[in-house]
């Protein structure tokens, strides 16, 4: 972590500018997952990228070394914060939430919400998760072709809805995900634009984003209303927010606050988990040997073990999900804004810079991973993980502002994978898995696969 005093910092070299043309820089930032690799290969592990005058468009500092990731992700206020343009825009439209709060408000909210997401608390939901997942994976017909992207979203949405948020989604994931995806895409595009109009200018894209956000908030208001009127509804996340009080003032969260958070949980939790699940299932459908190992592991444990401790009882399945997070995870990069001059991997970063840890680039770096593009779940076995730099694998971020949903996602996805493979044998139809990164990384189109009932 940066411990530099002003004198120490003064002795450090500045961050070098990336030797790419303007067009190349804009193109790299537009596709930040592969863009960070391009920037690293051109300029090194800590590189500055400009796309406009500093006053209008702060420079990006792209960080792709484990040490740099550690320096950025363990840093906290007042050195770094989250109020970079994407987040201030997100807040302006969606309202304040855990995702976009600046430090002081975030500390209070995180303290309130963290207890719902601990490993122990998630363990209390696994029986419910198991029921939902089992039920969701039953609707396929033997021999039919499915879209793994769409069905992963459908399953994930049900798990999130029915285990912690008290809503019963229909069978149409796009009704919810499409507005959230378009909303995020709009804000992400604004962040990358060299020049942007003020938020109050009612362009068609802006009006669309506001309307999409309104729809998401209507769903959140319905969730909250149902939870208040039905005391038996399984909705621990919503109930925790209803019961929470500010530790200093004793004030509860307003309904508006709760709705802002619910929208963010939907937006942050659905696509991320579903994209990784879709990738994992696609890989299994290409690598029958790995699929059979997962199936053998899943079939060797009884339902009670799955209900009580899925991750503890399915170590290989967990490794498959981790390897899927490495190669097919949703996070292109993680951003902070430097509020002070600070040290990152031996360089002096100037205050006002946008720090982006290139997660996709770190996860595929040939100097960090043996055969980086090979899907090899055993690299996450306890034995082979020993000695690995903790900062080269950061799918959920790390440090104080890391993903609050990590334990939930890991448990839910392990059960989702297990439950699908327990019943079905998958064959992926396409040999490749194209992605795009409008905000998070998502499949660029349908991911077709044929499912066959597994003979027990
Ligand atoms: C595979 C699944 C997931 C991945 C890869 C993922 C990844 C991430 C990442 C990279 C961050 C930013 C961390 C940082 O800035 O250091 C984040 C933040 C966050 N995630 Fe997730 N996430 C996943 C699932 C979830 C789920 C299931 C939820 C909620 C139900 C969730 C809610 C959040 C929230 C609220 C934040 C902001 C946390 C804060 O600033 O305190 N995520 N996630």
């Amino acid at each position: 972590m940066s411990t530099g005093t002003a004198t120490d910092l003064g002795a450090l070299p500045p961050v070098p500018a990336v030797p790419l043309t303007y067009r190349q820089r804009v193109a790299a930032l537009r596709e930040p997952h592969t863009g960070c690799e391009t920037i690293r290969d051109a300029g090194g592990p800590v590189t500055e990228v400009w796309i406009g005058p500093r006053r209008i468009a702060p420079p990006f500092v792209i960080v792709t070394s484990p040490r740099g990731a550690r320096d950025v992700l363990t840093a906290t206020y007042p050195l770094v914060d989250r109020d970079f343009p994407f987040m201030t825009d997100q807040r302006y439209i969606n309202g304040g939430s855990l995702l976009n709060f600046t430090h002081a408000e975030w500390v209070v909210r995180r303290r309130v919400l963290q207890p719902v997401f601990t490993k122990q608390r998630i363990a209390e939901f696994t029986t419910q998760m198991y029921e939902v997942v089992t039920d969701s994976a039953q609707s396929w017909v033997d021999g039919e072709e499915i879209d793994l992207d769409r069905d992963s979203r459908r399953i994930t949405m049900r798990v999130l809805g029915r285990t912690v948020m008290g809503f019963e989604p229909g069978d149409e994931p796009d009704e919810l995900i499409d507005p959230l995806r378009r909303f995020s895409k709009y804000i992400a595009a604004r962040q990358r634009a060299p020049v942007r109009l003020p938020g109050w200018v009612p362009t068609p894209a802006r009006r669309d984003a506001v309307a999409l956000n309104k729809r998401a908030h209507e769903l959140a208001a319905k969730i909250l209303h149902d939870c208040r009127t039905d005391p038996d509804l399984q909705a621990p996340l919503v109930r925790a927010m209803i019961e929470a009080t500010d530790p200093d003032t004793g004030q509860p969260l307003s309904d508006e606050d709760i709705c802002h958070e619910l929208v963010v949980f939907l937006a942050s939790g659905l696509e991320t988990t579903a994209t990784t699940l879709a990738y994992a299932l696609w890989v299994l459908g290409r690598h029958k040997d790995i699929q059979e190992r997962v199936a053998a592991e899943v079939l060797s444990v009884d339902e009670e073990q799955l209900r009580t401790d899925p991750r503890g009882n399915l170590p290989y399945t967990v490794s498959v999900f981790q390897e899927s997070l490495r190669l097919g995870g949703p996070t292109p990069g993680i951003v902070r804004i430097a509020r002070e001059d600070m040290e990152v991997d031996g360089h002096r970063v100037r205050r006002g810079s946008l720090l982006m840890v290139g997660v996709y680039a770190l996860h595929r770096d040939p100097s960090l991973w043996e055969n980086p593009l090979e899907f090899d779940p055993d690299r996450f076995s306890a034995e082979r993980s020993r000695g690995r730099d903790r900062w080269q694998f950061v799918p959920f971020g790390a440090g104080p502002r890391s993903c609050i949903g990590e334990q939930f996602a890991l448990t839910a996805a392990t059960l989702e994978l297990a439950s699908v493979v327990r019943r079905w044998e998958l064959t992926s139809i396409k040999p490749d898995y194209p992605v795009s990164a409008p905000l998070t990384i998502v499949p660029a189109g349908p991911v077709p696969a044929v499912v066959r009932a597994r003979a027990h």
Side-chain angles (χ1 to χ4, degrees):
M1 188 166 64
S2 170
T3 51
T5 62
T7 336
D8 295 327
L9 284 175
L12 295 174
V15 179
V18 71
L20 294 174
T21 64
Y22 182 75
R23 275 171 153 238
Q24 288 169 325
R25 279 178 274 153
V26 170
L29 292 181
R30 197 166 283 149
E31 291 292 335
H33 56 313
T34 47
C36 286
E37 292 185 312
T38 308
I39 291 163
R40 174 200 62 204
D41 294 346
V46 185
T47 307
E48 194 168 73
V49 185
W50 293 76
I51 50 165
R54 192 177 179 87
R55 205 168 32 85
I56 302 173
F60 279 88
V61 170
I62 306 298
V63 180
T64 48
S65 65
R67 184 177 151 192
R70 182 202 61 183
D71 288 347
V72 174
L73 297 178
T74 57
T76 185
Y77 186 82
L79 216 48
V80 302
D81 211 336
R82 265 275 182 79
D83 52 341
F84 47 89
F86 172 89
M87 288 300 174
T88 44
D89 237 15
Q90 209 273 352
R91 177 171 187 164
Y92 188 71
I93 303 182
N94 177 66
S97 72
L98 198 60
L99 182 72
N100 58 37
F101 274 146
T102 48
H103 185 77
E105 291 167 294
W106 168 80
V107 169
V108 178
R109 189 63 57 86
R110 180 95 186 201
R111 211 183 304 149
V112 167
L113 295 178
Q114 187 65 54
V116 189
F117 286 97
T118 57
K119 203 171 176 183
Q120 292 85 327
R121 192 80 174 89
I122 301 298
E124 293 168 24
F125 311 145
T126 49
T127 295
Q128 173 81 1
M129 270 187 196
Y130 180 76
E131 309 290 333
V132 177
V133 165
T134 308
D135 186 37
S136 303
Q138 250 160 10
S139 60
W140 293 326
V141 177
D142 191 14
E144 80 169 319
E145 184 179 313
I146 57 161
D147 172 8
L148 291 175
D149 178 31
R150 187 180 173 285
D151 279 306
S152 296
R153 288 187 271 138
R154 183 176 57 83
I155 295 172
T156 307
M157 192 161 79
R158 286 210 172 152
V159 172
L160 198 60
R162 285 170 54 181
T163 53
V164 289
M165 291 176 85
F167 81 100
E168 180 68 51
D171 263 342
E172 260 324 313
D174 290 347
E175 280 175 16
L176 180 59
I177 293 200
D178 186 52
L180 293 170
R181 203 181 263 191
R182 271 163 60 205
F183 175 69
S184 303
K185 194 174 169 182
Y186 162 75
I187 303 182
R190 266 174 69 77
Q191 158 139 334
R192 294 194 285 261
V195 180
R196 50 182 166 267
L197 291 169
W200 48 263
V201 179
T203 59
R206 183 77 179 184
R207 279 203 299 267
D208 188 39
V210 170
L212 296 170
N213 180 62
K214 187 163 167 274
R215 271 169 61 191
H217 273 76
E218 282 163 5
L219 172 64
K222 181 178 178 319
I223 291 174
L224 182 56
H225 172 266
D226 291 353
C227 190
R228 282 200 199 283
T229 49
D230 177 357
D232 297 327
L233 197 68
Q234 160 94 8
L237 177 57
V238 191
R239 293 202 191 285
M241 288 197 276
I242 292 173
E243 284 154 21
T245 50
D246 184 313
D248 296 327
T249 64
Q251 281 288 314
L253 295 179
S254 69
D255 281 8
E256 216 184 0
D257 287 335
I258 296 177
C259 288
H260 296 164
E261 291 296 353
L262 284 174
V263 172
V264 159
F265 281 123
L266 285 169
S268 317
L270 272 181
E271 281 264 65
T272 47
T273 315
T275 294
T276 321
L277 179 67
Y279 180 83
L281 293 174
W282 171 77
V283 173
L284 295 187
R286 301 287 308 161
H287 295 274
K288 289 294 167 77
D289 51 333
I290 301 178
Q291 187 175 159
E292 288 319 304
R293 264 181 83 182
V294 173
E297 181 176 78
V298 172
L299 292 168
S300 73
V301 298
D302 60 36
E303 294 205 335
E304 189 53 24
Q305 287 169 299
L306 287 182
R307 279 174 211 274
T308 48
D309 184 12
R311 278 155 68 189
N313 286 306
L314 300 173
Y316 185 68
T317 310
V318 171
S319 299
V320 166
F321 190 68
Q322 284 178 304
E323 182 69 335
S324 303
L325 280 166
R326 185 181 73 83
L327 281 178
T331 315
I334 298 173
V335 182
R336 301 279 187 273
I337 187 160
R339 288 265 152 249
E340 307 282 347
D341 286 4
M342 63 183 284
E343 177 184 345
V344 175
D345 195 358
H347 295 82
R348 185 176 74 251
V349 168
R350 280 188 295 172
R351 113 186 240 194
S353 307
L354 292 174
L355 293 153
M356 187 192 286
V357 176
V359 173
Y360 179 97
L362 268 169
H363 287 182
R364 292 162 178 249
D365 188 334
S367 71
L368 301 172
W369 303 91
E370 208 182 311
N371 301 325
L373 299 186
E374 186 188 324
F375 188 86
D376 175 13
D378 286 323
R379 65 173 97 233
F380 285 99
S381 67
E383 198 187 358
R384 282 178 59 194
S385 301
R386 212 166 291 133
R388 179 175 303 140
D389 192 322
R390 184 252 171 281
W391 297 98
Q392 72 188 61
F393 183 60
V394 282
F396 296 97
R401 253 191 127 148
S402 65
C403 176
I404 198 170
E406 175 172 357
Q407 298 300 330
F408 182 92
L410 288 172
T411 301
T414 305
L415 272 176
E416 287 165 8
L417 260 181
S419 179
V420 168
V421 174
R422 193 179 174 90
R423 270 162 202 76
W424 304 99
E425 204 187 313
L426 297 150
T427 307
S428 301
I429 293 171
K430 290 192 181 162
D432 53 356
Y433 184 90
V435 295
S436 68
L439 175 63
T440 58
I441 298 170
V442 290
V447 185
V450 172
V451 286
R452 296 217 167 274
R454 192 172 280 284
H456 286 249

